[in-house]
Amino acid sequence: MRYWLMKSEPSDVSIDDLANLPDQTVAWYGVRNYQARNFMRDQMCKGDAVLFYHSNCAVPGIAGIARVSSPAYPDATQFDRNSKYFDPKATQETPRWFNVDVQWVKKIEPISLAELRRHPQLEGMRVLQRGNRLSITPVDPAEWRFILKHLVRD
DNA sequence: GCCAACGTTGGC
DNA sequence: GCCAACGTTGGC
């Protein structure tokens, strides 16, 4: 069982959008970064816990909790000529991009990026590092416990 | 809207 | 393999 932080632009899929989807589940398609892909393909397991992070918005930060609800499988959008995620180099036999499904667990009182930065216990978090752009990052179990114990208010 | 940081591409 | 150019991310 691992812990992750996954970024989503709320204008794309917000924590409330996720809560209202069928099965409260979304296919995490469209990741086109190799490191993020490798995390999904090689390390994520069904049941892994996810901090659902709102990025590129007025108050960036953790907006909810989710879980990985499927193993990684080929991202369908790479084969779709009409998708902005179409990849001409990907084939059905050798897919290049993968995604998992992510299921809503709960919405929380948002924990802003500024709030996260206030805690020395979290200073190692990838999302707090300068210049960080990776949309999927592992979360240390100690960091996860700290966040749940001290920062999550339902 | 600005711009720093980063990943990718492609010429050589 | 180097590296400049380019496109994207995402906080502010």
Side-chain angles (χ1 to χ4, degrees), chain A residues 4-24:
Chain A
W4 305 94
L5 182 144
M6 298 176 80
K7 296 181 189 172
S8 181
E9 302 193 11
S11 62
D12 185 9
V13 181
S14 71
I15 189 73
D16 289 324
D17 293 335
L18 183 59
N20 290 308
L21 285 170
D23 297 329
Q24 302 184 312

Side-chain angles (χ1 to χ4, degrees), chain A residues 19-106:
Chain A
N20 290 308
L21 285 170
D23 297 329
Q24 302 184 312
T25 297
V26 67
W28 210 262
Y29 63 82
V31 169
R32 293 295 180 268
N33 170 283
Y34 289 104
Q35 257 186 290
R37 178 204 66 180
N38 292 347
F39 284 140
M40 286 198 285
R41 190 191 59 185
D42 305 335
Q43 295 191 33
M44 276 191 183
C45 293
K46 188 173 173 178
D48 282 1
V50 174
L51 298 171
F52 192 101
Y53 180 94
H54 282 173
S55 68
N56 204 9
C57 57
V59 184
I62 299 167
I65 309 292
R67 72 165 73 91
V68 175
S69 60
S70 81
Y73 57 92
D75 179 337
T77 62
Q78 70 193 305
F79 308 123
D80 177 2
R81 291 190 170 278
N82 297 318
S83 168
K84 68 170 176 172
Y85 299 115
F86 176 67
D87 184 341
K89 293 181 182 163
T91 65
Q92 297 280 350
E93 294 71 30
T94 54
R96 177 181 287 203
W97 306 109
F98 291 80
N99 67 265
V100 296
D101 290 344
V102 171
Q103 185 171 38
W104 186 87
V105 173
K106 67 175 172 177

Side-chain angles (χ1 to χ4, degrees), chain A residues 126-139:
Chain A
R126 193 81 181 260
V127 75
L128 303 183
Q129 305 310 306
R130 184 161 173 265
N132 163 72
R133 293 184 353 190
L134 199 53
S135 65
I136 298 175
T137 51
V139 172

